[in-house]
Amino acid sequence: MRRVLLVISLVLAATSVVAQRHHTHFASPSMAQAIAARYADSLSRLRVYYDSTWVYDGERPLVNPYYYRLFVQPTLYYSSVDQAMGLRVDSINKPSLLQPHYDQKLRVNTALNSFFASLYTTRPDLIRLTQSAIDEKQGIRQDLPSEVNRKVAITDKVTPSKPVEVYEPVQVISHRPNFWSTSQRYSLQFMQNYISSNWYKGGNSSNSFLATAYLTLNYNKNNKVIFENSLDVKLGFQTVKGDTVHKFQTTTDEIRMVNKVGLRAIKNWYYSISLQSWTQMLPKYHTNSHTIYSDFMSPFETVLSAGMEYKYSKSKLSLSANIAPLSFDLKYVAREALEKRYGNLPRHHLREYYGSNITVNYTWKILKELSWTGRIYYFTNYQKVQMEWENTFNFTINKFISSKLYLYPRFDDTQYNANREHRVQFKEWISLGFNYSL
């Protein structure tokens, strides 16, 4: 009760003083505006500081939690009145808003109390609340010894939604495995060509060009059943100086087809049946001559073989060797005048041979830019022997340009020279040209 009476008397005295001084201190609107501007500017800088660089360290006065009194609605605080009237805060039974130990730790509390005491005497019209009203409404709790951090999990506040069952039809499309594979390889080569004088189809050495095509269609079912088909076509032309009869001649003319069926026996061995057939497309002449030395189906040769095939494949080498102890060789010559030249009896277009056959095909990638592809063919009916060895060295310059060296020795004891002698026949060419593969 004593404190209330003191406050009332202090307010009444201050009211009279304010009435006298009010005109002096607040007569100038420009001065009030300047003070308000400076105060607003100070608050703005303080806000920027707290939003940007302020870090709480528990010691500096600027982090005093009681600075809130400067920014809330002006209130009549007991501690300011006690300090202005020289009363000790701890002598009051009811705890004040600021405890003594806070005054000792936070030195600025005295300045705050002085500011509010001055405010009460100069602008009592701004005071709308008293500390009693704040205490009754429990605006500030006094029973918390320390700061409490409440951690609330969002999952505790959100009710999970029930899963929605969605039924969608699933369309299953099954694809049967495709065991077929194809490949195509084409080239156009320009070359220097050499043919020995006793070549069994005749010909002359010259500069020429050659077009080739190699196509495959293979079936491989898990390396258990294989069906391989290949078609190899070579056709080359040349212009021969001194030949007044023919504007150009063919240098290389060959069609070879290979069909093979294999059934796996053990590991790399297969039971195999193969059919090899070959002939040419255009007639072949000697220089300044109308005499035909070979033509389409003259000769035509096909070999049917049954036996075992060995297959080997690594990163740089692939090889297949077909060993057929049972072979049937059929040679057909359509032109009657050429029957004897190719080993048939006079007036006999066909001639049959039974014997054994060995065919080896290989590809060896010697270097990244160099590969060697070859074919070895051997047939005998135990009376005659026919052997061929084709070698193609492919020098790859880039994807589309390459150089090739072709070496082809051949022996056939049904062929004779002018002296009725058997000689090894040989064919060679080297070229530079274009490649295209699919």
Side-chain angles (χ1 to χ4, degrees):
M1 186 66 184
R2 185 183 57 179
R3 179 180 299 175
V4 175
L5 294 176
L6 290 175
V7 170
I8 293 173
S9 61
L10 179 62
V11 170
L12 292 175
T15 303
S16 61
V17 174
V18 168
Q20 297 175 0
R21 299 183 180 180
H22 181 73
H23 178 74
T24 304
H25 291 283
F26 298 96
S28 176
S30 60
M31 181 180 298
Q33 293 176 359
I35 294 174
R38 292 180 60 184
Y39 182 68
D41 185 62
S42 301
L43 293 181
S44 177
R45 289 198 301 270
L46 186 62
R47 178 181 178 181
V48 172
Y49 168 74
Y50 275 101
D51 291 342
S52 58
T53 60
W54 174 77
V55 177
Y56 178 73
D57 57 10
E59 295 294 335
R60 291 180 299 169
L62 285 179
V63 299
N64 189 330
Y66 298 100
Y67 265 104
Y68 83 95
R69 294 190 293 175
L70 293 175
F71 308 105
V72 299
Q73 185 174 3
T75 304
L76 177 62
Y77 298 106
Y78 298 150
S79 59
S80 300
V81 176
D82 291 342
Q83 180 175 312
M85 301 187 69
L87 300 177
R88 296 179 56 86
V89 179
D90 55 1
S91 63
I92 304 174
N93 296 329
K94 186 177 180 180
S96 65
L97 184 62
L98 296 178
Q99 298 293 343
H101 62 274
Y102 282 116
D103 294 342
Q104 297 175 4
K105 184 175 181 181
L106 306 175
R107 298 177 181 178
V108 296
N109 190 49
T110 302
L112 286 174
N113 290 334
S114 299
F115 167 78
F116 279 100
S118 175
L119 181 65
Y120 300 155
T121 59
T122 57
R123 295 298 303 274
D125 57 300
L126 298 178
I127 310 303
R128 293 290 184 269
L129 294 176
T130 64
Q131 182 176 328
S132 299
I134 296 178
D135 293 340
E136 290 175 0
K137 294 182 180 181
Q138 297 183 352
I140 299 178
R141 298 183 61 180
Q142 306 293 332
D143 57 342
L144 297 179
S146 60
E147 183 180 0
V148 176
N149 294 326
R150 175 62 177 172
K151 296 183 179 179
V152 180
I154 297 179
T155 54
D156 296 340
K157 299 297 182 180
V158 178
T159 302
S161 59
K162 295 182 179 180
V164 179
E165 297 183 358
V166 179
Y167 299 94
E168 295 183 0
V170 179
Q171 184 178 4
V172 179
I173 302 176
S174 61
H175 297 277
R176 298 184 62 183
N178 185 10
F179 301 109
W180 290 94
S181 63
T182 62
S183 67
Q184 304 176 46
R185 187 169 67 245
Y186 305 94
S187 68
L188 178 62
Q189 305 287 321
F190 300 89
M191 70 196 73
Q192 171 268 326
N193 187 64
Y194 170 79
I195 301 175
S196 63
S197 59
N198 64 337
W199 184 251
Y200 78 111
K201 291 185 179 180
N204 295 302
S205 301
S206 65
N207 296 322
S208 58
F209 70 91
L210 173 68
T212 66
Y214 183 75
L215 297 85
T216 64
L217 175 63
N218 299 328
Y219 176 87
N220 187 334
K221 187 176 182 180
N222 301 323
N223 291 325
K224 295 180 180 180
V225 179
I226 60 173
F227 179 36
E228 299 178 348
N229 306 274
S230 64
L231 176 63
D232 191 3
V233 181
K234 296 183 178 73
L235 182 61
F237 295 91
Q238 68 175 356
T239 57
V240 181
K241 294 181 179 180
D243 190 345
T244 59
V245 178
H246 309 287
K247 186 175 181 180
F248 58 86
Q249 293 187 18
T250 58
T251 56
T252 300
D253 188 356
E254 183 179 289
I255 303 175
R256 179 184 294 117
M257 179 178 288
V258 179
N259 309 96
K260 185 166 44 181
V261 177
L263 179 64
R264 187 175 184 179
I266 54 171
K267 292 185 178 180
N268 297 332
W269 288 92
Y270 293 81
Y271 301 107
S272 177
I273 298 177
S274 65
L275 178 65
Q276 303 181 61
S277 307
W278 60 89
T279 185
Q280 66 186 65
M281 291 176 280
L282 302 175
K284 177 64 182 176
Y285 304 90
H286 273 313
T287 305
N288 292 318
S289 173
H290 292 284
T291 303
I292 296 177
Y293 285 87
S294 60
D295 199 358
F296 178 70
M297 300 299 288
S298 296
F300 168 78
E301 193 166 356
T302 181
V303 179
L304 179 64
S305 305
M308 298 287 292
E309 182 180 15
Y310 175 79
K311 284 184 169 293
Y312 176 83
S313 179
K314 289 293 183 181
S315 59
K316 295 185 178 181
L317 176 65
S318 61
L319 179 144
S320 67
N322 192 1
I323 304 172
L326 300 177
S327 296
F328 172 71
D329 186 351
L330 176 65
K331 182 176 288 186
Y332 173 78
V333 181
R335 288 183 174 270
E336 185 176 346
L338 300 177
E339 292 172 347
K340 185 177 179 180
R341 177 178 176 84
Y342 293 105
N344 289 6
L345 298 176
R347 294 184 298 277
H348 286 75
H349 295 289
L350 296 174
R351 187 165 185 176
E352 303 172 352
Y353 299 96
Y354 296 90
S356 301
N357 167 248
I358 298 175
T359 304
V360 179
N361 292 278
Y362 58 88
T363 299
W364 179 20
K365 193 172 184 61
I366 304 174
L367 299 171
K368 182 179 180 181
E369 299 82 8
L370 174 62
S371 62
W372 177 18
T373 302
R375 181 184 75 95
I376 300 175
Y377 174 82
Y378 175 84
F379 177 84
T380 180
N381 66 344
Y382 310 109
Q383 294 179 357
K384 80 176 188 75
V385 172
Q386 180 178 337
M387 182 176 180
E388 300 176 350
W389 185 16
E390 290 186 84
N391 300 274
T392 303
F393 296 89
N394 187 29
F395 302 88
T396 302
I397 299 175
N398 56 38
K399 183 179 180 180
F400 300 105
I401 300 177
S402 68
S403 178
K404 291 185 178 182
L405 172 63
Y406 182 76
L407 305 174
Y408 186 7
R410 182 181 187 274
F411 179 80
D412 187 351
D413 60 9
T414 62
Q415 303 293 313
Y416 302 91
N417 60 10
N419 299 324
R420 303 293 295 177
E421 296 175 342
H422 301 292
R423 294 287 182 89
V424 175
Q425 304 168 7
F426 187 77
K427 187 175 184 178
E428 171 269 337
W429 49 261
I430 186 170
S431 65
L432 176 67
F434 303 95
N435 296 327
Y436 181 72
S437 300
L438 293 175

